[in-house]
Amino acid sequence: MPIALENVTYVYAPDTPWEQEALSGVSVEVQDGDFLGIVGPTGSGKSTLIQHMNGLLLPTHGRVLVDGEEVGKDRKALRALRRKVGMVFQYPEHQLFEETVEADIAFGPKNLGLDSDEIAERVRWAVTSVGLPDDILERSPFELSGGQMRRVAIAGVLAMRGTVLILDEPTSGLDPRGRAGLVEQLKRLNRAGITMIMVSHSMEDMAQLVNRIVVLSEGKVVIDDSKRAVFSRLEDLANLSLDVPRVTNVMLEMRRAGLPVPLDVLTVNEGIEALCQVLRGSDIVEE
Amino acid sequence: MNAAGPPLIEFREAGFTYRRGEEGEIPAVKGVSLCIERGEFVAVVGSNGSGKSTLAKMMNALLVPTEGDVVVDGMSTADEAKVWDIRRMVGMVFQNPDNQLVSTTVEEEVAFGLENLGVPTDEMHRVIDRVLGEIGLGDLRRREPHNLSGGQKQRVAIAAVLAMQPECIVMDEATSMLDPRGRLDVMETVRHLCRDRNLAVVFITHFMEEAVEADRVVVFSDGTVATDGTPRNVFGDGIDLDAVGLDVPVVTALARGLVDRGFGLDPATTRLDELVEAVCQLRSRT
């Protein structure tokens, strides 16, 4: 179910003193199976952009096509769209409210009017998909760790059986173990065929998860390229006060100290390889 | 660091159990002995649920130990008559910038604690000017706190604590909800407080890259101190960080990787400038 934003402009509070253009002529395409990352400074329009992808916001100008259909033409189709394109907001665990994990995950499917067997099956599938054990279903969501609560909240969106999942800062506030666990599950969901779109300030998340990155600044797309290509544009990213992955930053400092290391290094293992080459390479030259 | 007198904060086999004596009681902090000295920059790291936030709240009598004692500058946090002295001396900045600001302008936020202390108006204005200037918020003094960025909000919270002339600021995951820019600004402020003001800072975080900047790192796991030492000791090889749910800093991971490949450098390297220098030296030596 491809998603295409065509020349989308969105204006908050039009014709008032607070009028503000949050997106200006944005075009972005998401193909089936993509894992798209969206980055940009605070206030660059990231949240506004993702809310166009499941019809929570409709463009002021331009159009959004999901599976070839223009979003918003048929108001009744919006509900179906929001089912297919799931949205996990920032700190989704703040929205947990039921007495048990099971009831929380079942909340959405129940509202769809599904029969109880189907609901039970979806709940079990969703909880497994986020890597939680079955026996957690009986527990209260409020006695779980932060990482577990986050996963329960994501399971609730998955239980709607959408084909696209949008995540806003999914690892924010998690400790290293909780983050690593969630990153693995997100990778797995994407491999299982769910199209993923992720907004994050964490360039570590981007380095590990996405295949393509869209960089937003002041409501415009300023870069749209493969992850590796984006992270090699260090100057552009710095000008937007965006980070690069920590290991990429190490390579940049090595380069500044005169070492001929590559800059498109995204993982610790690649970093070790690159440094070994520089050190061994110099052996050969000197000997 | 001033070694004279008692430690600024001393945990004497202190513990805290939530719902103590009730069904489902949770021992969050267990028999901890720990000292924080004046002027020290201490990072406390640990996974979610390790008890580190409970530990933080025990430092200024927000929680009173259910076992043992916590003593701040000679005053027991269990002594109700001393609670306000203790809280003035040890200020707290919390995780969520939106949950701790109460006023309609930045300067009122800073004035809030001073007003409660009954500080005369003239004196109050002097303190506000000084503190806002120091934290670099002078231009924002008439702004509404809720319209500021996350990093600015946290700095307002720091300024409000600073106005009380504390000896120590405890920051409980104060950077975890901030964007990269905000995190850098808050870290810069913390460095200033430690180096230029000789304030003790207890910095609770799970960003290892922040922890390596401290003088001392306390690793907290399952309610107890798993290890306590310099960043080099702790991240070098002092403890199996993976076992307590933490990452090794990237710089240390790279150094270890190079050591494994037979290169002669210190596997306990924690700082980026040290790693760059070590690699440059290795290269020129060959």
Side-chain angles (χ1 to χ4, degrees), chain B:
Chain B
M1 219 177 289
N2 179 5
L8 184 57
I9 302 173
E10 187 180 4
F11 282 69
R12 298 179 184 158
E13 292 178 31
F16 187 86
T17 300
Y18 290 98
R19 289 189 254 165
R20 187 161 179 258
E22 293 171 37
E23 196 191 340
E25 65 171 25
I26 304 165
V29 170
K30 305 168 190 170
V32 167
S33 294
L34 179 74
C35 288
I36 307 293
E37 304 290 347
R38 288 179 164 72
E40 228 184 352
F41 181 5
V42 183
V44 178
V45 299
S47 58
N48 291 131
S50 62
K52 59 191 193 306
S53 283
T54 305
L55 185 81
K57 293 191 182 92
M58 294 169 79
M59 292 183 182
N60 75 344
L62 281 178
L63 294 176
V64 174
T66 50
E67 300 96 44
D69 289 298
V70 176
V71 180
V72 176
D73 196 33
M75 301 176 282
S76 167
T77 59
D79 182 352
E80 282 180 28
K82 301 286 191 198
V83 163
W84 296 106
D85 290 334
I86 289 170
R87 294 209 181 134
R88 196 196 55 73
M89 192 170 263
V90 180
M92 285 274 259
V93 177
F94 295 98
Q95 179 178 30
N96 190 337
D98 292 320
N99 290 351
Q100 48 194 324
L101 303 179
V102 295
S103 305
T104 51
T105 67
V106 168
E107 60 184 358
E108 279 175 37
E109 189 64 43
V110 177
F112 183 76
L114 298 169
E115 280 169 355
N116 286 349
L117 286 183
V119 174
T121 313
D122 288 357
E123 169 68 9
M124 200 162 76
H125 284 297
R126 267 200 299 280
V127 174
I128 293 170
D129 286 347
R130 181 173 54 72
V131 169
L132 288 178
E134 189 175 342
I135 307 297
L137 294 168
D139 295 342
L140 302 177
R141 60 188 304 153
R142 303 210 194 282
R143 294 274 298 275
E144 296 174 37
H146 71 263
N147 283 333
L148 303 179
S149 73
Q152 287 168 337
K153 285 177 189 167
Q154 288 301 58
R155 283 156 60 216
V156 172
I158 293 172
V161 169
L162 209 54
M164 309 299 280
Q165 296 183 289
E167 295 278 342
C168 178
I169 299 190
V170 179
M171 305 185 69
D172 187 4
E173 292 190 36
T175 58
S176 79
M177 293 177 84
L178 304 181
D179 64 13
R181 176 82 254 161
R183 282 222 303 275
L184 284 179
D185 287 346
V186 169
M187 283 311 288
E188 190 51 49
T189 304
V190 167
R191 271 193 291 269
H192 158 74
L193 296 177
C194 296
R195 293 200 188 134
D196 309 333
R197 288 284 298 262
N198 203 36
L199 268 182
V201 174
V202 178
F203 195 86
I204 292 168
T205 183
H206 41 236
F207 291 109
M208 300 306 128
E209 268 58 29
E210 294 175 347
V212 299
E213 303 222 9
D215 303 323
R216 185 175 147 206
V217 177
V218 173
V219 178
F220 213 65
S221 173
D222 194 22
T224 59
V225 175
T227 190
D228 180 350
T230 63
R232 292 177 59 81
N233 289 336
V234 170
F235 295 119
D237 51 9
I239 186 176
D240 182 357
L241 288 167
D242 197 41
V244 295
L246 297 174
D247 277 342
V248 173
V250 164
V251 166
T252 311
L254 289 170
R256 286 185 189 176
L258 289 175
V259 171
D260 288 346
R261 303 296 188 88
F263 292 103
L265 76 165
D266 184 355
T269 306
T270 52
R271 298 189 58 90
L272 179 52
D273 51 347
E274 291 169 359
L275 181 67
V276 171
E277 201 185 313
V279 172
C280 286
Q281 273 185 8
L282 278 174
R283 192 158 191 268
S284 63
R285 211 181 290 159
T286 50

Side-chain angles (χ1 to χ4, degrees), chain A residues 92-94 96 101 130-133 136 139-153 172-179 181-182, chain B residues 26 47-52 206:
Chain A
E93 61 275 18
H94 294 172
L96 298 175
V101 168
V130 294
L132 291 172
I136 210 167
R139 296 177 59 189
S140 159
F142 303 104
E143 55 187 43
L144 305 179
S145 75
Q148 287 172 325
M149 284 170 77
R150 181 83 45 97
R151 290 196 212 185
V152 168
S172 170
L174 297 184
D175 66 11
R177 183 183 289 168
R179 179 183 168 275
L182 183 56
Chain B
I26 304 165
S47 58
N48 291 131
S50 62
K52 59 191 193 306
H206 41 236

Side-chain angles (χ1 to χ4, degrees), chain A residues 10 50 70 97 99 122 171 182 262:
Chain A
Y10 186 80
I50 57 176
E70 185 173 344
F97 67 99
E99 273 178 30
R122 283 193 181 195
T171 67
L182 183 56

Side-chain angles (χ1 to χ4, degrees), chain A residues 197-216:
Chain A
I197 298 152
M198 175 175 77
V199 169
S200 181
H201 285 301
S202 163
M203 298 305 164
E204 313 302 322
D205 290 356
M206 292 292 166
Q208 286 182 36
L209 285 170
V210 307
N211 49 33
R212 207 176 104 221
I213 295 178
V214 165
V215 181
L216 285 182

Side-chain angles (χ1 to χ4, degrees), chain A residues 45-77:
Chain A
K46 304 185 295 284
S47 296
T48 308
L49 174 63
I50 57 176
Q51 290 181 64
H52 278 81
M53 292 179 168
N54 75 342
L56 283 176
L57 294 177
L58 297 174
T60 311
H61 305 290
R63 54 183 199 157
V64 180
L65 300 176
V66 177
D67 226 1
E69 297 287 321
E70 185 173 344
V71 173
K73 276 228 154 142
D74 175 6
R75 290 261 163 185
K76 271 183 273 175

Side-chain angles (χ1 to χ4, degrees), chain A residues 68 73-74 98 125 163 165 173 183-184 220 267-268 287:
Chain A
K73 276 228 154 142
D74 175 6
E98 291 279 8
W125 169 80
T163 51
L165 191 61
V183 162
E184 263 329 295
K220 294 190 176 72
T267 67
V268 168
E287 277 165 11

